[in-house]
Amino acid sequence: MEPSISIRNLSLDFGSLRVLKDLDLNVGQGEFLVLLGSSGCGKSTLLNCIAGLLEISEGQIFIGGRNVTWEEPSQRGIGMVFQSYALYPQMTVAGNLSFGLKNAGLPKAEIAARVDRAAKILQIEPLLDRKPAALSGGQRQRAAIGRALVRDADVFLFDEPLSNLDAKLRADLRVEIKQLHSKLKNTMIYVTHDQIEAMTLADRIAIMRGGSILQLDTPEEIYLRPNCRYVANFIGSPSMNFFDGRIEGGDHLRFVSGSLNLPLAGYAFADPQGARPGPATLGIRPEHIVSGAEAEAAAISLTAEVDLIEPLGSDTFARVTLDGSNLWIRLDGQARTRPGDRLVIGFAPERAHLFDLDTELRL
Amino acid sequence: MTKTPHLLKNSLKFPQPELEPVDTTVAVATAATPTPSGTRSDLEPGPRGRKPARRFSRRNLFIYGTLTLVALYYLLPLYVMVVTSLKGMPEIRLGNIFAPPLEITFEPWVKAWSEACTGLNCDGLSRGFWNSVRILVPSVILSIAIASVNGYALANWRFKGAELFFTILIVGAFIPYQVMIYPIVIMLREVGLYGSLTGLVLVHSVFGMPILTLLFRNYFASVPEELFKAARVDGAGFWAIYFKIMLPMSLPIFVVAIILQVTGIWNDFLFGVIYTKPDLYPMTVQLNNIVNSTQGVKEYNVNMAATILTGLVPLSIYFLSGKLFVRGIAAGAVKG
Amino acid sequence: MAAMARPARWHRNISAKVAAIPMIATALCIFIGGTAWTVVYSFTNSKLLPKESFVGLRQYERLWGSSKWLTSIENLAIYGAFSLIFALVIGFLLAALLDQKIRFEDTFRTILLYPFALSFIVTGLAWQWILNPDFGVQAVVRGLGWESFTFDPLYNPDIVIYGVLIAGLWHETGLIMCLMLAGLRGIDEDIWKAARIDGIPTWKTYLFIVIPMMRGIFITAIVLIASGIIKVYDLVVAQTGGGPGIASEVPAKYVYDAMFLSQNLGQGFAASTMMLLTVVIIVVPWAYLEFGGKRK
């Protein structure tokens, strides 16, 4: 099937600075793609390029099979939702929703019908006559989504739409957006720096850094098989633990770092060529480290001293000292561990992640 | 980093667009007039860091005493003008300029308005008043129309070279007018507008442009960019966004600009005397000619009445507009 | 799905370019063109009409040999120095007084600022009247019994410029006060709290903490006052007419007189070019300090 959005060799320069670097991206029909990255990675810039709000320096953009590289934003068949909602303060919610349709010269009846339908979907009918200033944050964001909705666009672009909301509302609206997507089945591109939003909403996540896409995969794949150390570190909370060291040995490869000497039997190398001695980084997620009896049975089993405890109720995260370095592990919420306790921890090699020390790519 | 001089950007407080109270981090984060956190809005009286003193402490006595004396000094000229204008000439010759009038007369006011002479014309200041109005109205409208659209284009529709011209414009605001006076005389003469009100209107629009453009550019730049983006996605073009989105949310800055221009243009003397001819002189020029004319007996009461009359328009605007005026002249002071 | 070439660019953003035409015309024709024209013609001996007979620096030699110009420059220096110092000091002190959480702050501010709303013509005429030796302050004090009291700045060539200064300060201190007040209000309250906890006396806090923090405001105020000083014209015209004799002439008036009264355009161009030079001397170091440092 033809992709809904296709980006080819897209580059963007701000003066002499190349902020987007030769990007290629295809988004399938009805797909929910999340652009994820820390601030300054270019994710919002890329979204603005797709919307036509920034003129790109090189490359082509296709939406619905049509080359829209040089088209005005309003001609691209997109709807867009912004972080600050960007509702026109002097217009009512209805006015906000219909502004674009009026500009497009749609007949009055058609506009009214579309506004009603969008309001119904978003349950903002009672708010239609209010001005944005009289709305709560969540209501404003619904109105802003409504403004994108009425356009009957094939593609919705979301630019960190939930960042301005408090945690509770954010979780609620996240669910609503997910339901909206399953109902409307539009293509959606969603920019966020929040990995929970990314993991929960996305069909696929594109992790960006420095104007490039590092990894484009399903949330599960990104979590389980990050293709580089940056992605591994970015996804997951608390972050993955890393040890810099070497892979040594012949038939039975081992990872050596300081006094640690860990067997790697069972680790699935991404590239069989990588399975040879050399400098490497080993990563292991806190939630993949087991303790107690389970640890003693694990392929890798070590004794560490508990340094710090962060009880969260459902889980307890503990920082333990192992061979002079710290690592975080996840314990049961009811664990009765205290700082100073000695603890047996362990993990299975297949749960670990190995990265080249220099290129930081997955081995 | 734009090349706008620091003083123009940071130190002066311009009104900010009134937006829905979005979380503060986002709404005005891009504002042209950043306010460090923990500061109060410009002139609102607010709790200061020092403890409130008892009402009749020596410190308070000193503060209120000094301020009252200073305030009296500042009011003195206005008081003297009013008092003098209400006296007859005999009383002025005998009396004390600070003494209130023994016998109040409004004759000097009438005379100043409708009979005072400048050269051969003896129809009073009213001629200058109406000239000033005829200069003021089109100048204010034209200069604000040009500058607001230009400031909007600079803030939201940047194009190559725009910043360069804007920098020239702002730097140009520091060039003494005297350097540009004569070339403008020649230009206006070439197009046949030298000595006409139209010519003067153009001159006011030109010299009002730096400060007004700056004012509007900074204001529009502080409107969240996403609003502008949303309007573009909604299919609004340059003029639709200006008229339907920006204009309705910019009324305060327009009021500031109007205050700024009305007082500035009304108070102008130099351009009036250079670019118009005697029967079109604005009020300030005519006032000066009446008071400083060497012919005839000096009628101080009429002079003072005329002076007050000339100052009345800016004074009314000042007292009516309150804090907006402060912002306006703070911005306008750059015009120097 | 074929690739598409970038369309021609000139008509992109066309409305913005149209909207900027007045600005571009002003910047190029008036500010750059006009200034360059005046500078070029200051090297000619234009009289009633500008003409292109270049005479080198002769106009400048005549200018600096003219006692009227020298008086103008001297007056400008005196007026400028005192107006700068007094406006800053008085403006700051008044602002500090107003910033003491007092009642009637708005009233005091309104009174201190109203002169700024008035034109220089009105200001000059008002003070001309108050300083009139036959009716004004001098006459009143003499009327109180002090017969030998003399205060006639506008009629004494030696001190006439101070008479103008009194009016000038009355007009502008309110503005500086407002700027300073805004600056004081911009200072984090926690600074005051910290100073109090450290036991620093109020005046020391102002002198060593607050004023250095207000550097930007002071620079703004200085630039404002300075650029105003160079343009002083209407005030002198209204208050003294440049007299007595030539005792209160200022450069801006010299330019006007040369151009429009004595049909000596070349002198006017040379004098205005000198004014421009003065501004450049003030603005360039300031611009360098403000922007030169940050660029590094």
Side-chain angles (χ1 to χ4, degrees):
Chain A
M1 190 170 75
E2 191 165 90
S4 169
I5 297 174
S6 177
I7 290 165
R8 298 191 195 155
N9 310 104
L10 184 149
S11 290
L12 177 70
D13 301 325
F14 285 160
S16 59
L17 187 70
R18 178 148 283 204
V19 289
L20 292 179
K21 296 166 187 159
D22 199 20
L23 295 179
D24 281 291
L25 180 65
N26 286 313
V27 187
Q29 203 72 50
E31 183 176 358
F32 199 122
L33 178 82
V34 171
L35 301 178
L36 178 65
S38 52
S39 66
C41 71
K43 55 190 191 300
S44 281
T45 311
L46 175 58
L47 195 75
N48 279 312
C49 288
I50 296 171
L53 294 166
L54 284 172
E55 193 173 298
I56 64 173
S57 308
E58 278 166 39
Q60 307 284 326
I61 299 172
F62 299 85
I63 295 179
R66 203 158 53 87
N67 189 331
V68 296
T69 313
W70 306 110
E71 303 231 335
E72 280 295 305
S74 53
Q75 308 296 317
R76 295 188 176 202
I78 54 159
M80 191 159 175
V81 179
F82 297 90
Q83 179 178 9
S84 66
Y85 326 128
L87 295 171
Y88 312 122
Q90 71 276 12
M91 299 180 194
T92 60
V93 171
N96 268 282
L97 263 57
S98 54
F99 182 67
L101 306 180
K102 282 182 195 152
N103 281 324
L106 259 62
K108 269 212 175 95
E110 167 81 11
I111 292 176
R114 285 207 203 177
V115 169
D116 278 350
R117 193 168 53 98
K120 204 164 283 166
I121 293 174
L122 293 163
Q123 294 159 352
I124 52 171
E125 291 150 298
L127 309 176
L128 281 176
D129 293 327
R130 293 214 209 148
K131 294 239 172 112
L135 302 181
S136 71
Q139 291 169 332
R140 281 182 202 161
Q141 199 49 289
R142 276 200 195 89
I145 294 172
R147 187 170 58 184
L149 218 60
V150 291
R151 297 180 61 79
D152 269 348
D154 305 325
V155 176
F156 281 3
L157 307 176
F158 293 88
D159 194 356
E160 307 219 24
L162 305 182
S163 306
N164 278 5
L165 301 171
D166 61 49
K168 176 81 174 67
L169 255 177
R170 198 182 311 169
D172 293 348
L173 266 165
R174 202 171 67 209
V175 173
E176 283 188 34
I177 290 177
K178 192 160 191 172
Q179 286 171 341
L180 194 68
H181 179 242
S182 61
K183 194 189 290 177
L184 299 174
K185 304 207 165 32
N186 291 40
T187 309
M188 293 188 178
I189 302 186
Y190 186 105
V191 165
T192 183
H193 62 265
D194 181 326
Q195 50 168 308
I196 298 176
E197 279 174 33
M199 298 295 280
T200 51
L201 290 171
D203 293 327
R204 282 192 303 162
I205 298 176
I207 295 193
M208 293 187 66
R209 183 196 192 188
S212 304
I213 294 174
L214 293 181
Q215 186 167 7
L216 172 62
D217 251 318
T218 61
E220 188 188 19
E221 196 63 16
I222 282 185
Y223 177 78
L224 292 176
R225 272 174 288 278
N227 66 0
C228 65
R229 184 180 162 158
Y230 180 85
V231 173
N233 187 40
F234 193 85
I235 293 287
S237 175
S239 297
M240 191 182 276
N241 301 295
F242 292 102
F243 299 93
D244 289 345
R246 293 183 56 79
I247 298 174
E248 289 180 0
D251 288 346
H252 302 286
L253 289 174
R254 303 184 71 80
F255 178 80
V256 181
S257 168
S259 65
L260 293 181
N261 193 323
L262 314 173
L264 293 176
Y267 180 79
F269 281 92
D271 176 4
Q273 295 296 312
R276 58 171 167 210
T281 303
L282 180 137
I284 179 76
R285 294 193 187 279
E287 57 269 37
H288 293 152
I289 298 177
V290 292
S291 60
E294 213 180 329
E296 279 162 35
I300 296 172
S301 177
L302 305 153
T303 309
E305 188 180 315
V306 177
D307 177 37
L308 194 86
I309 298 284
E310 279 188 353
L312 299 181
S314 56
D315 298 313
T316 296
F317 287 99
R319 192 174 72 183
V320 302
T321 312
L322 181 69
D323 188 38
S325 53
N326 290 326
L327 71 158
W328 286 97
I329 63 174
R330 188 179 70 182
L331 303 173
D332 185 80
Q334 271 67 51
R336 301 257 178 274
T337 316
R338 291 172 187 287
D341 288 357
R342 294 187 70 76
L343 198 62
V344 180
I345 58 171
F347 58 90
E350 50 265 49
R351 287 294 204 179
H353 309 264
L354 284 168
F355 305 99
D356 187 295
L357 190 66
D358 302 315
T359 64
E360 300 200 342
L361 293 177
R362 186 181 189 88
L363 291 172
Chain B
M1 159 91 211
T2 61
K3 292 167 201 116
T4 321
H6 159 268
L7 88 120
L8 308 171
K9 239 170 42 185
N10 294 350
S11 317
L12 306 174
K13 295 281 178 178
F14 303 128
Q16 294 295 325
E18 280 172 38
L19 294 155
E20 62 239 67
V22 187
D23 299 27
T24 47
T25 42
V26 191
V28 201
T30 51
T33 53
T35 347
S37 61
T39 63
R40 286 141 293 141
S41 69
D42 50 356
L43 295 168
E44 305 295 341
R48 302 296 294 121
R50 326 202 33 263
K51 69 168 184 190
R54 276 172 296 121
R55 188 165 296 178
F56 293 111
S57 67
R58 219 195 282 166
R59 180 175 160 270
N60 262 5
L61 217 59
F62 169 73
I63 292 174
Y64 286 103
T66 314
L67 283 175
T68 308
L69 280 179
V70 174
L72 286 178
Y73 173 78
Y74 272 78
L75 284 173
L76 185 80
L78 188 62
Y79 167 77
V80 169
M81 282 193 282
V82 172
V83 167
T84 306
S85 73
L86 296 174
K87 292 174 184 170
M89 270 315 283
E91 194 186 333
I92 290 177
R93 283 200 200 90
L94 296 173
N96 174 330
I97 61 165
F98 300 114
L102 297 171
E103 216 177 312
I104 291 180
T105 166
F106 290 99
E107 199 195 337
W109 288 71
V110 176
K111 204 166 175 194
W113 179 253
S114 54
E115 292 164 36
C117 297
T118 39
L120 296 175
N121 294 322
C122 278
D123 45 7
L125 258 186
S126 54
R127 169 201 294 271
F129 175 85
W130 291 114
N131 283 342
S132 277
V133 171
R134 282 160 67 202
I135 295 162
L136 186 74
V137 175
S139 301
V140 170
I141 294 172
L142 184 65
S143 61
I144 291 180
I146 291 175
S148 63
V149 175
N150 188 28
Y152 158 71
L154 286 170
N156 293 314
W157 297 84
R158 271 154 287 195
F159 57 90
K160 236 184 182 162
E163 282 295 313
L164 172 70
F165 291 116
F166 180 63
T167 307
I168 297 174
L169 195 74
I170 295 303
V171 172
F174 288 92
I175 301 174
Y177 295 145
Q178 281 73 16
V179 181
M180 296 170 282
I181 284 176
Y182 207 83
I184 297 176
V185 168
I186 296 175
M187 290 179 206
L188 289 178
R189 199 183 277 148
E190 287 300 313
V191 293
L193 290 175
Y194 183 50
S196 72
L197 290 184
T198 314
L200 184 56
V201 167
L202 289 179
V203 171
H204 278 308
S205 302
V206 160
F207 285 110
M209 208 184 292
I211 180 62
L212 289 181
T213 303
L214 181 77
L215 192 71
F216 282 107
R217 187 194 83 130
N218 287 358
Y219 184 86
F220 289 129
S222 70
V223 172
E225 203 190 353
E226 292 195 337
L227 210 54
F228 170 76
K229 288 180 176 174
R232 284 194 62 195
V233 173
D234 271 341
F238 185 89
W239 295 107
I241 296 179
Y242 176 76
F243 282 110
K244 291 185 186 155
I245 308 292
M246 295 300 191
L247 211 58
M249 59 186 292
S250 312
L251 289 180
I253 200 72
F254 274 88
V255 173
V256 166
I258 290 170
I259 292 170
L260 184 66
Q261 285 300 86
V262 170
T263 35
I265 294 170
W266 191 272
N267 286 342
D268 162 69
F269 175 82
L270 183 69
F271 298 142
V273 79
I274 290 174
Y275 298 108
T276 55
K277 42 186 193 257
D279 60 328
L280 294 176
Y281 275 159
M283 203 171 184
T284 46
V285 179
Q286 207 195 355
L287 168 71
N288 186 54
N289 290 351
I290 289 175
V291 176
N292 283 329
S293 87
T294 45
Q295 300 151 346
V297 185
K298 290 237 177 202
E299 293 182 285
Y300 297 109
N301 50 358
V302 176
N303 289 352
M304 285 303 115
T307 309
I308 299 173
L309 279 172
T310 309
L312 222 47
V313 167
L315 269 190
S316 324
I317 290 193
Y318 175 68
F319 286 114
L320 288 178
S321 60
K323 279 181 183 145
L324 281 177
F325 182 91
V326 178
R327 288 164 177 164
I329 59 163
V334 179
K335 203 162 67 166
Chain C
M1 295 214 293
M4 205 185 266
R6 178 185 294 264
R9 294 198 56 145
W10 66 268
H11 64 82
R12 294 186 75 79
N13 223 344
I14 186 73
S15 299
K17 287 172 186 168
V18 169
I21 285 176
M23 169 180 79
I24 296 171
T26 298
L28 292 184
C29 300
I30 312 269
F31 289 174
I32 291 187
T35 303
W37 189 93
T38 299
V39 172
V40 168
Y41 275 80
S42 73
F43 298 106
T44 69
N45 66 349
S46 306
K47 289 284 184 195
L48 178 59
L49 288 173
K51 56 180 174 185
E52 281 128 57
S53 52
F54 290 92
V55 293
L57 289 172
R58 196 161 322 144
Q59 293 289 4
Y60 291 91
E61 285 162 17
R62 272 188 56 199
L63 185 68
W64 287 99
S66 138
S67 62
K68 189 176 167 187
W69 174 254
L70 292 175
T71 312
S72 304
I73 292 290
E74 194 190 331
N75 281 336
L76 190 70
I78 295 173
Y79 179 88
F82 282 104
S83 135
L84 202 58
I85 294 166
F86 282 121
L88 286 178
V89 172
I90 298 173
F92 182 80
L93 289 178
L94 289 177
L97 283 178
L98 278 185
D99 196 33
Q100 301 302 317
K101 199 184 174 187
I102 59 163
R103 301 175 67 182
F104 311 119
E105 184 196 314
D106 281 356
T107 313
F108 282 121
R109 202 191 58 232
T110 306
I111 292 172
L112 297 184
L113 186 59
Y114 89 89
F116 195 80
L118 295 170
S119 63
F120 277 118
I121 297 293
V122 168
T123 304
L125 295 177
W127 282 95
Q128 184 193 55
W129 174 235
I130 293 174
L131 297 178
N132 184 320
D134 299 331
F135 302 98
V137 177
Q138 176 177 301
V140 170
V141 175
R142 283 183 182 177
L144 294 174
W146 184 358
E147 293 293 342
S148 62
F149 179 79
T150 314
F151 186 63
D152 59 346
L154 301 189
Y155 290 82
N156 180 344
D158 294 335
I159 56 168
V160 61
I161 196 65
Y162 298 97
V164 178
L165 181 66
I166 291 174
L169 284 176
W170 179 76
H171 186 261
E172 80 183 336
T173 12
L175 170 75
I176 303 303
M177 184 269 299
C178 267
L179 272 182
M180 298 283 179
L181 190 56
L184 287 173
R185 292 282 150 88
I187 287 183
D188 196 327
E189 281 179 72
D190 291 348
I191 296 285
W192 280 106
K193 290 180 188 158
R196 252 177 72 202
I197 287 167
D198 288 345
I200 303 170
T202 308
W203 67 272
K204 267 194 177 175
T205 312
Y206 271 118
L207 205 57
F208 296 114
I209 300 171
V210 172
I211 291 182
M213 286 177 78
M214 285 170 61
R215 184 179 159 275
I217 292 279
F218 271 89
I219 291 176
T220 304
I222 290 170
V223 171
L224 284 187
I225 302 170
S227 64
I229 289 166
I230 288 162
K231 292 173 182 171
V232 166
Y233 171 69
D234 339 11
L235 185 59
V236 171
V237 168
Q239 207 178 352
T240 68
I246 56 166
S248 59
E249 290 289 341
V250 283
K253 186 163 177 296
Y254 187 96
V255 172
Y256 178 85
D257 291 353
M259 284 182 186
F260 298 100
L261 297 181
S262 50
Q263 275 103 42
N264 201 343
L265 284 178
Q267 271 295 290
F269 297 151
S272 56
T273 305
M274 291 311 304
M275 290 177 69
L276 177 65
L277 203 62
T278 320
V279 172
V280 170
I281 288 170
I282 295 171
V283 169
V284 166
W286 165 68
Y288 182 79
L289 281 177
E290 279 303 295
F291 307 112
K294 281 179 204 157
R295 289 277 158 79
K296 276 171 204 162

